[in-house]
Amino acid sequence: DAGITQSPRHKVTETGTPVTLRCHQTENHRYMYWYRQDPGHGLRLIHYSYGVKDTDKGEVSDGYSVSRSKTEDFLLTLESATSSQTSVYFCAIKGAGAGGYTFGSGTRLTVV
Amino acid sequence: QQQVKQSPQSLIVQKGGISIINCAYENTAFDYFPWYQQFPGKGPALLIAIRPDVSEKKEGRFTISFNKSAKQFSLHIMDSQPGDSATYFCAASRSNTGNQFYFGTGTSLTVIP
């Protein structure tokens, strides 16, 4: 998807374990976002970044942390996974100025 | 609080018919309204977008109608095709910022051959 890659694509993990999802972009875009997608809820923002080491919380940030040490990488960490964090996670990027997001292909995470 | 409300949740249309999906928003500071199309197993992809200075934007069979006074906008898919079967999300944001897009809850469209 247009210079944005998410890894892994699928993951099954046990309750209580830490999990890190990676988003990598080759577009040199300033803004990066992590969303989760759940039936009936659409896409909800977890965290976003507006530059290296500059991040902020979204509406569903509890239980998640992020890091951005390089322009191209935005990591999402579930410190101690819970079953309620079973979801499909999407990373998105956006350039400066007007325009829409470009989404990655998503990571399907199952917490058992 | 849902910043963008989308309806219907699901829609079934005959091939060749018109599909209409509606969205409403509250924040008058929003000035960019995109629609995204998502196929199973894929990420959402930008389909078409509009700004509030125009009332309609058309790209091929897809048209956005925008009513600023009512704070509503809608997606019309003309001559709907089975390949249009997907989930559609509306969204709203303030442009020229890195602020988040607020998404509707999605509409699952099925076009019957």
Side-chain angles (χ1 to χ4, degrees), chain B residues 5-19:
Chain B
K5 296 181 179 179
Q6 182 174 347
S7 63
Q9 184 176 351
S10 62
L11 183 61
I12 300 174
V13 174
Q14 293 278 355
K15 179 182 175 181
I18 302 173
S19 303

PDB file of all heavy atoms in Angstrom, chain B residues 5-19:
ATOM      1  N   LYS B   5     -21.694  10.609  12.599  1.00  0.00           N
ATOM      2  CA  LYS B   5     -22.709   9.555  12.627  1.00  0.00           C
ATOM      3  C   LYS B   5     -23.030   9.129  11.200  1.00  0.00           C
ATOM      4  O   LYS B   5     -23.308   9.976  10.350  1.00  0.00           O
ATOM      5  CB  LYS B   5     -23.959  10.043  13.354  1.00  0.00           C
ATOM      6  CG  LYS B   5     -23.702  10.348  14.820  1.00  0.00           C
ATOM      7  CD  LYS B   5     -24.953  10.806  15.532  1.00  0.00           C
ATOM      8  CE  LYS B   5     -24.649  11.082  17.009  1.00  0.00           C
ATOM      9  NZ  LYS B   5     -25.837  11.565  17.753  1.00  0.00           N
ATOM     10  N   GLN B   6     -23.008   7.823  10.975  1.00  0.00           N
ATOM     11  CA  GLN B   6     -23.160   7.274   9.633  1.00  0.00           C
ATOM     12  C   GLN B   6     -24.330   6.314   9.587  1.00  0.00           C
ATOM     13  O   GLN B   6     -24.557   5.539  10.520  1.00  0.00           O
ATOM     14  CB  GLN B   6     -21.871   6.548   9.225  1.00  0.00           C
ATOM     15  CG  GLN B   6     -21.870   5.977   7.834  1.00  0.00           C
ATOM     16  CD  GLN B   6     -20.513   5.403   7.423  1.00  0.00           C
ATOM     17  OE1 GLN B   6     -19.497   5.634   8.085  1.00  0.00           O
ATOM     18  NE2 GLN B   6     -20.473   4.674   6.331  1.00  0.00           N
ATOM     19  N   SER B   7     -25.072   6.368   8.482  1.00  0.00           N
ATOM     20  CA  SER B   7     -26.190   5.440   8.286  1.00  0.00           C
ATOM     21  C   SER B   7     -26.384   5.183   6.799  1.00  0.00           C
ATOM     22  O   SER B   7     -26.014   6.016   5.972  1.00  0.00           O
ATOM     23  CB  SER B   7     -27.471   6.021   8.882  1.00  0.00           C
ATOM     24  OG  SER B   7     -27.833   7.223   8.212  1.00  0.00           O
ATOM     25  N   PRO B   8     -26.931   4.027   6.429  1.00  0.00           N
ATOM     26  CA  PRO B   8     -27.309   2.906   7.291  1.00  0.00           C
ATOM     27  C   PRO B   8     -26.095   2.057   7.645  1.00  0.00           C
ATOM     28  O   PRO B   8     -25.016   2.256   7.098  1.00  0.00           O
ATOM     29  CB  PRO B   8     -28.277   2.129   6.407  1.00  0.00           C
ATOM     30  CG  PRO B   8     -27.732   2.324   5.024  1.00  0.00           C
ATOM     31  CD  PRO B   8     -27.228   3.740   5.010  1.00  0.00           C
ATOM     32  N   GLN B   9     -26.264   1.112   8.516  1.00  0.00           N
ATOM     33  CA  GLN B   9     -25.191   0.195   8.897  1.00  0.00           C
ATOM     34  C   GLN B   9     -24.909  -0.785   7.766  1.00  0.00           C
ATOM     35  O   GLN B   9     -23.760  -1.188   7.556  1.00  0.00           O
ATOM     36  CB  GLN B   9     -25.583  -0.544  10.167  1.00  0.00           C
ATOM     37  CG  GLN B   9     -24.513  -1.463  10.712  1.00  0.00           C
ATOM     38  CD  GLN B   9     -24.920  -2.090  12.030  1.00  0.00           C
ATOM     39  OE1 GLN B   9     -25.928  -1.723  12.623  1.00  0.00           O
ATOM     40  NE2 GLN B   9     -24.140  -3.038  12.499  1.00  0.00           N
ATOM     41  N   SER B  10     -25.971  -1.192   7.070  1.00  0.00           N
ATOM     42  CA  SER B  10     -25.800  -2.079   5.927  1.00  0.00           C
ATOM     43  C   SER B  10     -26.798  -1.700   4.847  1.00  0.00           C
ATOM     44  O   SER B  10     -27.848  -1.120   5.129  1.00  0.00           O
ATOM     45  CB  SER B  10     -25.966  -3.548   6.335  1.00  0.00           C
ATOM     46  OG  SER B  10     -27.264  -3.768   6.837  1.00  0.00           O
ATOM     47  N   LEU B  11     -26.449  -2.056   3.618  1.00  0.00           N
ATOM     48  CA  LEU B  11     -27.236  -1.633   2.464  1.00  0.00           C
ATOM     49  C   LEU B  11     -27.125  -2.693   1.386  1.00  0.00           C
ATOM     50  O   LEU B  11     -26.021  -3.155   1.072  1.00  0.00           O
ATOM     51  CB  LEU B  11     -26.693  -0.295   1.952  1.00  0.00           C
ATOM     52  CG  LEU B  11     -27.384   0.393   0.781  1.00  0.00           C
ATOM     53  CD1 LEU B  11     -28.824   0.729   1.133  1.00  0.00           C
ATOM     54  CD2 LEU B  11     -26.610   1.671   0.423  1.00  0.00           C
ATOM     55  N   ILE B  12     -28.256  -3.095   0.845  1.00  0.00           N
ATOM     56  CA  ILE B  12     -28.283  -4.046  -0.260  1.00  0.00           C
ATOM     57  C   ILE B  12     -28.947  -3.361  -1.450  1.00  0.00           C
ATOM     58  O   ILE B  12     -30.059  -2.849  -1.336  1.00  0.00           O
ATOM     59  CB  ILE B  12     -29.045  -5.334   0.120  1.00  0.00           C
ATOM     60  CG1 ILE B  12     -28.362  -6.015   1.305  1.00  0.00           C
ATOM     61  CG2 ILE B  12     -29.091  -6.290  -1.076  1.00  0.00           C
ATOM     62  CD1 ILE B  12     -29.117  -7.218   1.833  1.00  0.00           C
ATOM     63  N   VAL B  13     -28.248  -3.368  -2.571  1.00  0.00           N
ATOM     64  CA  VAL B  13     -28.715  -2.668  -3.766  1.00  0.00           C
ATOM     65  C   VAL B  13     -28.604  -3.614  -4.962  1.00  0.00           C
ATOM     66  O   VAL B  13     -27.669  -4.412  -5.046  1.00  0.00           O
ATOM     67  CB  VAL B  13     -27.866  -1.395  -3.997  1.00  0.00           C
ATOM     68  CG1 VAL B  13     -28.227  -0.711  -5.305  1.00  0.00           C
ATOM     69  CG2 VAL B  13     -28.046  -0.434  -2.836  1.00  0.00           C
ATOM     70  N   GLN B  14     -29.539  -3.500  -5.870  1.00  0.00           N
ATOM     71  CA  GLN B  14     -29.476  -4.266  -7.113  1.00  0.00           C
ATOM     72  C   GLN B  14     -28.444  -3.629  -8.050  1.00  0.00           C
ATOM     73  O   GLN B  14     -28.241  -2.411  -8.046  1.00  0.00           O
ATOM     74  CB  GLN B  14     -30.841  -4.279  -7.810  1.00  0.00           C
ATOM     75  CG  GLN B  14     -31.928  -5.032  -7.069  1.00  0.00           C
ATOM     76  CD  GLN B  14     -31.842  -6.540  -7.320  1.00  0.00           C
ATOM     77  OE1 GLN B  14     -31.037  -7.005  -8.103  1.00  0.00           O
ATOM     78  NE2 GLN B  14     -32.675  -7.294  -6.618  1.00  0.00           N
ATOM     79  N   LYS B  15     -27.810  -4.474  -8.837  1.00  0.00           N
ATOM     80  CA  LYS B  15     -26.887  -3.977  -9.856  1.00  0.00           C
ATOM     81  C   LYS B  15     -27.575  -2.927 -10.722  1.00  0.00           C
ATOM     82  O   LYS B  15     -28.716  -3.132 -11.157  1.00  0.00           O
ATOM     83  CB  LYS B  15     -26.407  -5.144 -10.725  1.00  0.00           C
ATOM     84  CG  LYS B  15     -25.465  -4.737 -11.847  1.00  0.00           C
ATOM     85  CD  LYS B  15     -25.068  -5.938 -12.693  1.00  0.00           C
ATOM     86  CE  LYS B  15     -24.215  -5.514 -13.888  1.00  0.00           C
ATOM     87  NZ  LYS B  15     -23.846  -6.663 -14.740  1.00  0.00           N
ATOM     88  N   GLY B  16     -26.881  -1.824 -10.947  1.00  0.00           N
ATOM     89  CA  GLY B  16     -27.437  -0.745 -11.744  1.00  0.00           C
ATOM     90  C   GLY B  16     -28.175   0.299 -10.923  1.00  0.00           C
ATOM     91  O   GLY B  16     -28.492   1.385 -11.432  1.00  0.00           O
ATOM     92  N   GLY B  17     -28.437   0.014  -9.666  1.00  0.00           N
ATOM     93  CA  GLY B  17     -29.153   0.947  -8.811  1.00  0.00           C
ATOM     94  C   GLY B  17     -28.242   2.005  -8.193  1.00  0.00           C
ATOM     95  O   GLY B  17     -27.036   2.027  -8.430  1.00  0.00           O
ATOM     96  N   ILE B  18     -28.850   2.870  -7.420  1.00  0.00           N
ATOM     97  CA  ILE B  18     -28.100   3.943  -6.743  1.00  0.00           C
ATOM     98  C   ILE B  18     -27.946   3.579  -5.268  1.00  0.00           C
ATOM     99  O   ILE B  18     -28.926   3.284  -4.592  1.00  0.00           O
ATOM    100  CB  ILE B  18     -28.823   5.292  -6.874  1.00  0.00           C
ATOM    101  CG1 ILE B  18     -29.009   5.645  -8.354  1.00  0.00           C
ATOM    102  CG2 ILE B  18     -28.038   6.393  -6.164  1.00  0.00           C
ATOM    103  CD1 ILE B  18     -29.858   6.883  -8.567  1.00  0.00           C
ATOM    104  N   SER B  19     -26.704   3.643  -4.792  1.00  0.00           N
ATOM    105  CA  SER B  19     -26.432   3.422  -3.374  1.00  0.00           C
ATOM    106  C   SER B  19     -26.224   4.774  -2.718  1.00  0.00           C
ATOM    107  O   SER B  19     -25.481   5.610  -3.242  1.00  0.00           O
ATOM    108  CB  SER B  19     -25.174   2.567  -3.200  1.00  0.00           C
ATOM    109  OG  SER B  19     -25.288   1.330  -3.884  1.00  0.00           O
TER     110      SER B  19
END
